[in-house]
Amino acid sequence: MRLSNHVSIITGGANGIGFEAARTFAEEGASVVIADYNEEVGAERVASLREEGLEVTFIVVDVSSHESAAQMVAKAVSIYGKVDSLINNAGITDDAMLKKMTTEQFRRVIDVNLIGVFNCTQAVLPTMTEAGKGKIVNTASVSGAYGNIGQTNYAAAKAGVIGMTKTWAKELGRKGINVNAVAPGFTETAMVESVPKELVQQLKSQIPLQRLGKPKDVAYAYLFLCSRESDYVHGHVLHVDGGIVM
């Protein structure tokens, strides 16, 4: 197994890409902390994976809160004794065209998608630094690299995530901590379910692979970046987007 004796925290792990990553990591031998704000759904997800014989734990967290993020990491360490990888997967959207976007909409997305990544990474840093190793994977987006209509807040947050990833790679590499990002394209999650079918078909036509991504596609990218196979991959943004931007 690729993640034997490995402990991973996956934020936003109760749904979509995060849940698929939790399953994938656990199947590869990891002990997985599913960290999410939704206690009810989180408990259900953990129960379903435990029925499959997988080692998973749920910890409630509000990533936008520095205190909550610190408590999450402390609890994970108290249960498993260490944290080998952190997947900063939690994210939200609240789309609107620039002229209609409210300050509240902008701040809400920034708080979760950007400040949340900062909070969780800062919280896990002491235990990884003490161990002299660790893998941090931040979830960016093609929107953060190239922009997207109606997503001023989301694109700004994800562009910030890319900037933090490269900065942290320069700061933390000497401490034995790898820092990378994954930039998914349009993926079949709840966020996409609300998109009109005609627009989805239009999106597919623009993707060289002619399909949307699946949560498993992104989960495999997370897996690679947290495995020993990626020990010399550092400061990289791995696009998982079917070639929509080249």
Side-chain angles (χ1 to χ4, degrees):
M1 290 188 177
R2 296 164 75 182
L3 295 180
S4 296
N5 193 36
H6 185 103
V7 177
S8 183
I9 295 174
I10 302 176
T11 68
N15 288 292
I17 293 170
F19 181 62
E20 191 60 49
R23 180 194 298 278
T24 301
F25 277 43
E27 288 175 343
E28 288 291 339
S31 298
V32 179
V33 173
I34 293 177
D36 205 288
Y37 74 96
N38 193 322
E39 291 189 65
E40 182 178 353
V41 174
E44 291 174 359
R45 296 292 190 261
V46 164
S48 69
L49 294 181
R50 284 180 175 173
E51 286 178 1
E52 299 176 27
L54 302 175
E55 178 54 43
V56 293
T57 297
F58 176 73
I59 299 177
V60 66
V61 66
D62 173 5
V63 298
S64 68
S65 163
H66 194 271
E67 181 181 5
S68 182
Q71 291 173 347
M72 170 194 69
V73 172
K75 189 169 183 179
V77 172
S78 72
I79 295 170
Y80 292 116
K82 63 175 182 172
V83 177
D84 295 297
S85 66
L86 167 68
I87 313 297
N88 282 308
N89 170 81
I92 61 171
T93 57
D94 196 351
D95 296 351
M97 299 298 282
L98 175 59
K99 66 179 181 180
K100 293 185 178 180
M101 183 172 289
T102 66
T103 302
E104 289 71 25
Q105 283 178 293
F106 187 85
R107 284 178 175 162
R108 180 168 174 262
V109 171
I110 294 294
D111 282 348
V112 174
N113 295 13
L114 184 62
I115 296 176
V117 175
F118 169 82
N119 287 339
C120 293
T121 304
Q122 195 173 64
V124 84
L125 192 56
T127 187
M128 287 188 176
T129 300
E130 183 178 354
K133 62 178 182 177
K135 299 288 183 83
I136 295 169
V137 179
N138 300 322
T139 305
S141 169
V142 293
S143 295
Y146 300 98
N148 194 30
I149 292 173
Q151 290 194 317
T152 294
N153 48 8
Y154 188 79
K158 295 304 186 177
V161 166
I162 292 172
M164 290 197 303
T165 297
K166 293 182 178 295
T167 298
W168 295 343
K170 292 178 178 180
E171 291 184 7
L172 303 180
R174 67 194 66 191
K175 299 181 184 297
I177 300 171
N178 293 72
V179 187
N180 293 287
V182 172
F186 296 99
T187 308
E188 293 177 354
T189 65
M191 286 185 184
V192 175
E193 288 177 2
S194 61
V195 177
K197 290 184 179 179
E198 310 81 62
L199 181 54
V200 171
Q201 288 302 319
Q202 184 180 345
L203 287 172
K204 287 181 181 179
S205 70
Q206 297 172 9
I207 300 170
L209 290 183
Q210 297 290 288
R211 69 171 177 87
L212 301 185
K214 298 183 182 300
K216 198 77 170 180
D217 295 321
V218 184
Y220 281 142
Y222 292 164
L223 176 63
F224 168 68
L225 291 173
C226 289
S227 72
R228 287 175 293 180
E229 298 159 18
S230 66
D231 282 354
Y232 204 59
V233 179
H234 192 57
H236 183 68
V237 181
L238 175 57
H239 284 245
V240 184
D241 58 18
I244 194 169
V245 286
M246 287 190 286

